[in-house]
Amino acid sequence: MKPDLRFNFIADMQKSTLTVRREFAAKRQLVWDCYTKSELLDQWYAPKPLTTKTKSFDFREGGHWHFAMIDPNGTHYWSRTDYETITPIDGYTGYDGFTDETGVINPDLPRSHIDMTFTDQGAHTLTETVVSYNSPEDLQTVIDMGMEEGMASTLERLDELLVQLTA
């Protein structure tokens, strides 16, 4: 039977923040690994039916992850996360934005600051991602782009991978 895992998606227009809380049926170290190793990220980090392909990855303070989400027609949607702080298995912060293939940030789309935390929840792990935008308009842009549905689908893929990894 599939566990009932918590998913909260909270948009605060006054603070220009998006908070996503998600519980996973796995130990914190494994969930951390799925967020911090490119070979695992490539297996889940995109909403269905998209896939993910890492171009470059350097998980360290000052490092980055440059990747594309690829649709079934082969169109690449490039993004980049620049890691700011890392506290192993507890969390990390950084900046996230849409880019071109070379990693140059697209100034026409919102860039955000992310604060990601991982906490034990009994035998499960609770992740909390606080995404801060420059304005309520930037937040509304990503909501209109389907952020809630995309996050839900992406995190369900992580559930599926965690089942495989713990079997």
Side-chain angles (χ1 to χ4, degrees), residues 7 9 18 20 22 44-50 52 69 142-158:
F7 174 69
F9 185 93
L18 182 61
V20 178
R22 183 61 154 75
W44 69 271
Y45 197 85
K48 289 180 181 179
L50 281 69
T52 301
M69 291 185 191
V142 298
I143 290 170
D144 292 345
M145 291 170 71
M147 178 70 88
E148 183 170 5
E149 299 81 5
M151 286 294 297
S153 176
T154 299
L155 297 175
E156 285 171 7
R157 285 185 117 164
L158 178 51

Side-chain angles (χ1 to χ4, degrees), residues 100-167:
D100 64 13
E101 186 177 356
T102 67
V104 174
I105 296 292
N106 181 341
D108 298 328
L109 292 171
R111 190 163 193 225
S112 61
H113 183 266
I114 53 173
D115 186 347
M116 182 84 202
T117 58
F118 300 76
T119 54
D120 292 324
Q121 198 79 17
H124 292 180
T125 300
L126 180 66
T127 62
E128 181 179 81
T129 311
V130 178
V131 188
S132 303
Y133 292 91
N134 290 327
S135 68
E137 294 78 18
D138 283 355
L139 174 54
Q140 189 62 54
T141 296
V142 298
I143 290 170
D144 292 345
M145 291 170 71
M147 178 70 88
E148 183 170 5
E149 299 81 5
M151 286 294 297
S153 176
T154 299
L155 297 175
E156 285 171 7
R157 285 185 117 164
L158 178 51
D159 281 331
E160 294 166 4
L161 178 60
L162 289 166
V163 167
Q164 292 174 22
L165 295 173
T166 56

Side-chain angles (χ1 to χ4, degrees), residues 1-54:
M1 187 169 115
K2 187 176 178 181
D4 184 23
L5 300 172
R6 187 172 20 162
F7 174 69
N8 300 112
F9 185 93
I10 304 156
D12 185 331
M13 300 309 276
Q14 292 180 329
K15 293 182 181 176
S16 303
T17 61
L18 182 61
T19 302
V20 178
R21 290 187 194 98
R22 183 61 154 75
E23 186 177 345
F24 296 98
K27 293 288 188 187
R28 185 163 42 134
Q29 181 67 58
L30 182 58
V31 176
W32 171 264
D33 288 348
C34 286
Y35 273 86
T36 61
K37 294 182 177 182
S38 64
E39 65 274 13
L40 293 172
L41 283 161
D42 283 351
Q43 295 181 56
W44 69 271
Y45 197 85
K48 289 180 181 179
L50 281 69
T51 58
T52 301
K53 179 182 169 191
T54 295

